[in-house]
Amino acid sequence: MHRVAAPLAAVLIGLALTGCGGDGAEPGAPEGATLVLDFQPNAVHAGIYEAQANGFFEDEGVDLTIRQPSSTADAGKLLETGRADFAVMDINDFGIARERGLDLVAIAAIVQRPLASVIARDRDEIQTPADLSGKTVGVTGVPSDDAVLDTVLRAGGVAPGDVRRVTIGFNAVAQLAAGRIDAATAFWNAEGVQLKELGIPTREFRVDEFGAPRYPELVLVARDQRGAEEIRSALVSGYDLLADRPETALDDLIAEAPGLERSAQFSQLRALTSAEAFASGARTATPELSEESVQRWRSWAESAGLLAGSS
């Protein structure tokens, strides 16, 4: 396979790196490893699938299998029981898992900014977070949703108790489209894009624009540092190609994950790239996970009540 030269991304945790652990394979043969996603494959995973499609993991000596989860709660459990070597996790879920005693390590960023937002269905009626006062707002029931909603409300001078909060699961699009709720916590790169394509005149309050810092929403997590350097190196090459040729990366994603609708994924990828969700510093796309960005997230998560203290 053609190899794209790229410098190895910097490491977050600062632990010494070691190679993949032995699994009985022949000398020189790729080591087997499993990576479980946080959700079904979509545009946010384009850098991972671009690395897979171009053989970059294999170039690094890793025979990587990418798996979809059966639920969003799978990642930590699969890592803990040794049924997965790497997993994509929401950084808030990662922090909560660490506080619960799971010995997990974040080794790379899948995106570099929050994807969480509060989306209102009527952009004329709700123009600022202050206009959410007295409205009905849907949340999934995931702890980070309440932190996101509270952060956006406080940015508009609204007390968290001044909205009617209802649990709707992962049905924000249907609930907003039907007018059953006024707003909902949702991902601007996914539900936000779907709502716009349905012609609903939404207004988005992205949490890092209303009270929260810029932090990596999704991180790649491992049980330890074995194989981390190889995985990061492959991802650097995948992200370089994603930055250079996003439409080709989209085609590779769809080829590797049959069943995805290209037009929907194109819209989501365009939303991500236009918002520089993959960008870190001067680079247009990189899986680098910096200590500074994690500290910004940790400070916010603690102040928002997601974390009790440093994990």
Side-chain angles (χ1 to χ4, degrees):
M1 286 286 182
H2 174 63
R3 180 60 189 270
V4 177
L8 180 63
V11 185
L12 159 69
I13 301 299
L15 299 177
L17 301 182
T18 60
C20 292
D23 62 0
E26 296 179 15
E31 299 282 356
T34 299
L35 185 158
V36 62
L37 301 176
D38 58 308
F39 195 62
Q40 66 185 27
N42 61 79
V44 81
H45 306 120
I48 298 173
Y49 278 95
E50 186 68 340
Q52 180 82 323
N54 286 276
F56 297 143
F57 294 114
E58 186 177 354
D59 288 349
E60 293 294 335
V62 182
D63 180 13
L64 188 69
T65 298
I66 301 174
R67 291 173 50 190
Q68 299 183 41
S70 58
S71 78
T72 56
D74 274 1
K77 295 177 183 177
L78 292 173
L79 288 171
E80 183 182 17
T81 58
R83 289 180 288 166
D85 303 286
F86 304 96
V88 177
M89 294 183 69
D90 181 286
I91 194 169
N92 297 302
D93 293 338
F94 165 71
I96 292 170
R98 291 268 301 178
E99 283 206 333
R100 289 175 177 170
L102 294 188
D103 190 15
L104 304 177
V105 180
I107 64 173
I110 303 304
V111 290
Q112 298 286 358
R113 66 174 295 184
L115 304 177
S117 65
V118 175
I119 301 178
R121 73 176 309 272
D122 188 335
R123 64 179 296 108
D124 293 327
E125 181 180 3
I126 301 176
Q127 300 186 25
T128 72
D131 297 325
L132 291 167
S133 180
K135 302 298 186 183
T136 299
V137 183
V139 294
T140 65
V142 174
S144 57
D145 271 15
D146 290 311
V148 167
L149 176 56
D150 292 350
T151 297
V152 171
L153 291 173
R154 290 189 177 107
V158 179
D162 288 346
V163 300
R164 179 173 176 263
R165 199 172 309 220
V166 295
T167 301
I168 60 171
F170 295 93
N171 297 306
V173 172
Q175 294 285 317
L176 287 168
R180 299 189 185 98
I181 54 177
D182 301 299
T185 53
F187 292 128
W188 53 259
N189 64 299
E191 289 93 342
V193 170
Q194 293 176 48
L195 288 162
K196 288 174 183 175
E197 292 187 336
L198 289 172
I200 298 171
T202 60
R203 186 174 298 279
E204 296 174 354
F205 302 113
R206 300 182 182 185
V207 70
D208 57 334
E209 296 174 351
F210 292 90
R214 182 182 174 99
Y215 61 80
E217 176 87 37
L218 297 175
V219 291
L220 187 62
V221 176
R223 287 177 293 162
D224 52 45
Q225 288 281 356
R226 287 177 295 175
E229 183 175 2
E230 291 83 358
I231 293 294
R232 275 194 300 267
S233 184
L235 286 176
V236 167
S237 297
Y239 273 79
D240 278 350
L241 285 186
L242 171 62
D244 291 341
R245 52 181 206 187
E247 289 201 41
T248 300
L250 180 64
D251 290 337
D252 288 337
L253 166 68
I254 293 171
E256 293 285 325
L260 295 181
E261 183 182 341
R262 191 182 193 284
S263 61
Q265 296 306 313
F266 176 78
S267 296
Q268 291 187 27
L269 185 59
R270 182 171 56 187
L272 289 161
T273 54
S274 64
E276 298 185 333
F278 298 115
S280 176
R283 292 178 59 85
T284 55
T286 174
E288 176 183 350
L289 185 57
S290 72
E291 179 68 24
E292 180 183 359
S293 69
V294 172
Q295 289 300 334
R296 287 197 300 266
W297 157 74
R298 190 188 307 281
S299 295
W300 170 76
E302 291 178 1
S303 66
L306 274 172
L307 298 181
S310 298
S311 64

